[in-house]
């Protein structure tokens, strides 16, 4: 059968399967929901009837030959890639597959330190060695920025044997690096460019947006369709450009991805690709209109700063994703995480995350104007009721890591647990990070400094959720013995 972008092969195969009224003597054991009435009542019988296992008519994710293969080919076409893979272990699995298919144990990869934990986890698994490029820092906003071209040039000169350059594009806050220039530099030096595009899946389908990884000539990209493309949570695409062997990439994916791929997740990717391909321009236009309106109104409130393209500097902020509603809260005397908590507990508004100085609200075409107005009025009230002078706020900046051991060596070393307050100058044997966004404050193999200890304590006091350590209260930390 010949498919076009008007088709959704996996979805169509599931609809046909459901109509065939197949008798199931296979897994899952809920048997279309009949074996678990409470779950069926919660999720709906129609949902559970298509929560099925791999079979000939529905193909197999680990070795696709029919409808999944067709859906992957349509996705590659839609994203302008040479190959695309359906990822059901989240964008985390896509990030790890990019790194593990590009770097072997002992090989170097150039990356910014403000990567998602999934990237450093990949180094723990495969044994690659990170060469960190310090991201720029906006000292007023207290956020890491993109990668400076000069810093990348220095890293390439000092490490000509590196296999790849890893780029966050966009960052959680919507900040983009000069991706085309990075690709040109990397390819001139026989290095791959791997792009964590977790927050940029929509770049492929809209207008007036920063350039996408595939359009910039990147070798691989992890596009988190569930974040901004409309698919179900945990579903993502791994995209490959020219010169990447998709057969080998699939082998790497199959090292860690489940053999029981969820057809609910795959169908959601299939339908969302079709939907964005057909309607992406108007979806993105509406999203930008909503974000721009919210930004303008928030900036009229005073005390908050919803930043946008005016912060572009041509290097570490090469471009900005206007769909992102990133808001600095420091001038009302509240940490971002405090505003996050107030919005949730007092106003029943759930935003994406709050860090020390900022909050992030994810806007999409699924939002409605009155909900934007509710956010605006709530922020105004929070400022009036809880705002205070900018006193006692931690002047948070990017903490330059002192990497003593590779993440793999440190993670698998013998460790001992000591009080966090007594850990100064020791080498960390585990992660510490605020989640979201999941960017490590400390990674295995890095020396623990006073700045790091102070930041962790401050983040705890402000109510940030800290993850990573074995001690879930983060009173103790494992160090390399």
């Amino acid at each position: 059968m010949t498919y076009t972008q008007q088709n959704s092969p996996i979805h169509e195969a599931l609809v046909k399967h459901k109509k065939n009224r197949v008798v199931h003597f296979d897994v899952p054991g809920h048997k279309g929901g009949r074996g678990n009435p409470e779950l069926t009542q919660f999720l709906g019988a129609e949902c559970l009837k298509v929560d099925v296992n791999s079979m000939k008519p529905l193909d197999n994710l680990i070795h696709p030959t029919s409808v999944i293969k067709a859906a992957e080919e349509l996705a590659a076409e839609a994203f302008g890639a040479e190959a695309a893979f359906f990822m059901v272990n989240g964008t985390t699995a896509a990030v790890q597959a990019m790194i593990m298919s590009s770097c072997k144990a002992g090989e170097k990869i150039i990356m910014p330190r403000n990567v998602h934990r999934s990237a450093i986890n990949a180094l723990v698994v495969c044994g690659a060695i990170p060469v960190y490029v310090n991201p720029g820092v906006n000292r007023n906003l207290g956020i890491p920025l993109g990668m400076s071209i000069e810093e990348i040039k220095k890293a390439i000169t000092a490490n000509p044997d590196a296999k790849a350059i890893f780029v966050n594009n966009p960052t959680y806050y919507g900040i983009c690096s000069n991706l085309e220039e990075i690709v040109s530099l990397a390819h001139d030096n026989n290095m791959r460019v791997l792009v964590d595009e977790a927050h940029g899946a929509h770049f492929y389908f809209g207008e007036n947006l920063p350039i996408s990884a595939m359009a910039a000539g990147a070798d691989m990209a992890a596009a988190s369709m569930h974040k901004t493309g409309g698919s179900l949570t945990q579903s993502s695409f791994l995209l490959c450009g020219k010169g990447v062997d998709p057969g080998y990439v699939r082998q790497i994916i199959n090292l860690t991805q489940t053999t029981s791929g969820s057809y609910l997740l795959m169908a959601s990717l299939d339908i969302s690709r079709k939907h964005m391909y057909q309607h992406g321009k108007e979806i993105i236009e509406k999203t930008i209109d909503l974000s721009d309106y919210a930004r303008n109104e928030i900036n009229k409130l005073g005390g908050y700063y919803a930043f946008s393209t005016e912060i572009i500097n041509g290097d570490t902020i090469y471009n900005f994703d206007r769909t992102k509603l990133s808001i600095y809260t420091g001038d009302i005397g509240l940490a971002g995480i405090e505003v996050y908590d107030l919005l949730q507990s007092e106003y029943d508004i759930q935003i994406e995350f709050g860090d020390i100085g900022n909050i992030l609200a994810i806007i999409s075409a699924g939002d409605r104007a009155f909900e934007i107005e509710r956010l605006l009025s709530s922020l105004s009230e929070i400022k009036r009721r809880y705002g205070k002078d900018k006193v006692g706020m931690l002047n948070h900046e990017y903490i330059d890591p002192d990497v003593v051991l590779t993440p793999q060596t440190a993670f698998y070393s013998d460790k001992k647990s000591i009080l966090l307050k007594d850990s100064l100058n020791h080498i960390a044997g585990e992660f510490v990070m605020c989640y979201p966004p999941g960017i490590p404050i400390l990674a295995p193999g890095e020396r623990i400094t006073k700045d790091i200890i102070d930041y962790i304590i401050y983040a705890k006091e402000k109510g940030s959720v800290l993850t990573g350590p074995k001690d879930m209260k983060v009173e103790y930390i494992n160090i390399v013995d």
Side-chain angles (χ1 to χ4, degrees):
M1 179 177 174
T2 301
Y3 293 100
T4 72
Q5 291 293 336
Q6 313 308 313
N7 292 109
S8 46
I10 299 172
H11 163 231
E12 291 164 16
L14 284 168
V15 171
K16 182 179 178 181
H17 172 77
K18 190 164 62 170
K19 287 179 179 176
N20 287 343
R21 301 180 67 185
V22 173
V23 177
H24 280 282
F25 290 106
D26 61 349
V27 296
H30 61 66
K31 299 299 175 85
R34 296 189 305 274
N36 193 336
E38 188 173 357
L39 182 64
T40 305
Q41 185 178 11
F42 179 60
L43 294 179
E46 296 307 304
C47 172
L48 290 178
K49 284 176 184 175
V50 292
D51 178 38
V52 293
N53 195 27
S54 297
M55 61 190 77
K56 274 191 177 181
L58 297 179
D59 210 354
N60 192 313
L61 182 60
I62 64 172
H63 188 78
T65 58
S66 59
V67 293
I68 295 176
K69 182 174 183 288
E72 289 181 341
E73 289 169 353
L74 289 175
E77 180 183 65
F79 283 87
E82 293 295 308
F85 298 93
F86 278 56
M87 305 299 295
V88 296
N89 282 22
T91 308
T92 287
V95 166
Q96 292 171 350
M98 287 196 302
I99 293 173
M100 292 165 62
S101 61
S102 302
C103 303
K104 299 181 179 65
E107 294 180 339
K108 296 176 184 176
I109 179 169
I110 296 168
M111 59 172 55
R113 179 55 182 75
N114 60 321
V115 292
H116 188 265
R117 67 171 295 173
S118 57
I120 300 178
N121 279 345
L123 306 183
V124 170
V125 174
C126 76
I129 301 169
V131 174
Y132 290 124
V133 173
N134 295 347
V137 174
N138 184 305
R139 298 181 188 278
N140 294 324
L141 301 177
I143 59 172
L145 305 176
M147 295 172 79
S148 160
I149 295 299
E150 286 307 311
E151 290 297 322
I152 291 175
K153 286 179 179 177
K154 289 177 187 175
I156 290 173
T157 300
N159 302 275
D161 54 340
K163 297 297 180 182
I165 300 175
F166 186 93
V167 188
N168 298 329
N169 204 77
T171 69
Y172 227 123
Y173 303 94
I175 290 163
C176 297
S177 300
N178 186 348
L179 206 50
E180 288 179 286
E181 182 67 16
I182 293 170
V183 168
S184 178
L185 279 171
H187 288 177
D188 285 347
N189 289 275
N190 299 311
M191 299 177 189
R192 278 186 179 177
V193 174
L194 315 177
V195 182
D196 181 348
E197 214 167 20
H199 292 272
H202 56 295
F203 285 5
Y204 294 87
F205 304 103
E207 296 176 329
N208 303 312
L209 290 171
I211 193 168
S212 69
M214 290 294 105
D219 298 278
M220 302 179 78
S224 193
M225 200 65 170
H226 77 88
K227 288 185 171 70
T228 57
S231 65
L232 290 177
T233 296
Q234 199 178 309
S235 60
S236 184
F237 284 115
L238 174 58
L239 309 173
C240 297
K242 294 178 181 177
V244 175
D245 180 357
Y248 179 65
V249 172
R250 193 182 299 280
Q251 286 182 316
I252 296 296
I253 291 170
N254 286 341
L255 290 176
T256 55
Q257 180 155 263
T258 178
T259 56
S260 303
S262 165
Y263 278 86
L264 297 176
L265 297 182
M266 286 189 279
S268 79
L269 282 170
D270 202 17
I271 293 168
S272 297
R273 179 269 314 153
K274 173 184 171 183
H275 182 64
M276 289 299 285
Y277 187 89
Q278 293 177 334
H279 307 291
K281 287 183 181 179
E282 54 262 44
I283 287 169
I284 300 304
E285 183 180 9
K286 180 182 177 184
T287 303
I288 290 176
D289 286 346
L290 286 170
S291 294
D292 281 348
Y293 171 76
R295 239 187 311 273
N296 292 334
E297 294 301 310
I298 287 167
N299 287 334
K300 290 177 186 176
L301 296 176
Y304 297 102
Y305 175 35
F307 47 93
S308 184
T309 53
E310 75 280 353
I311 67 172
I312 290 172
N313 62 18
D315 187 27
T316 52
I317 313 173
Y318 188 74
N319 209 337
F320 184 81
D321 175 12
R322 286 166 56 206
T323 69
K324 295 286 188 296
L325 184 57
S326 304
I327 307 162
Y328 177 67
T329 66
D331 287 339
I332 64 167
L334 295 176
I337 186 61
E338 293 175 307
V339 176
Y340 171 101
D341 286 340
L342 287 167
L343 284 168
Q344 186 183 60
S345 61
E346 300 286 326
Y347 301 95
D348 293 326
I349 292 176
Q350 181 63 56
I351 58 173
E352 177 67 9
F353 81 88
D355 61 17
I356 297 303
N358 302 270
I359 58 173
L360 173 66
I362 296 293
I363 307 296
S364 83
D367 290 308
R368 294 165 290 185
F370 77 86
E371 292 168 329
I372 300 289
E373 296 298 339
R374 184 167 159 185
L375 173 63
L376 296 172
S377 62
S378 299
L379 289 173
S380 178
E381 234 182 273
I382 286 171
K383 177 192 169 188
R384 180 179 61 81
R385 293 175 62 194
Y386 300 100
K388 50 184 182 283
D389 292 336
K390 190 178 179 180
V391 176
M393 296 288 287
L394 182 71
N395 181 23
H396 168 55
E397 297 177 1
Y398 167 76
I399 299 171
D400 190 9
D402 177 9
V403 181
V404 183
L405 300 172
T406 67
Q408 186 182 65
T409 300
F411 188 84
Y412 289 112
S413 292
D414 290 335
K415 295 183 280 285
K416 67 179 180 182
S417 178
I418 64 173
L419 284 166
L420 175 66
K421 65 183 181 67
D422 296 332
S423 66
L424 183 65
N425 292 326
H426 288 285
I427 300 168
E430 58 189 359
F431 289 97
V432 181
M433 69 206 82
C434 296
Y435 193 87
I439 297 167
I441 302 164
L442 190 62
E446 296 175 0
R447 193 175 302 282
I448 302 169
T449 65
K450 183 177 184 300
D451 283 344
I452 289 169
I453 295 172
D454 289 346
Y455 184 84
I456 292 170
I457 292 171
Y458 185 84
K460 281 178 63 178
E461 289 173 351
K462 290 298 183 182
S464 292
V465 177
L466 291 167
T467 66
K470 189 175 179 181
D471 173 25
M472 295 182 70
K473 294 182 179 178
V474 200
E475 294 170 353
Y476 289 81
I477 188 165
N478 277 342
I479 60 167
V480 176
D481 195 359

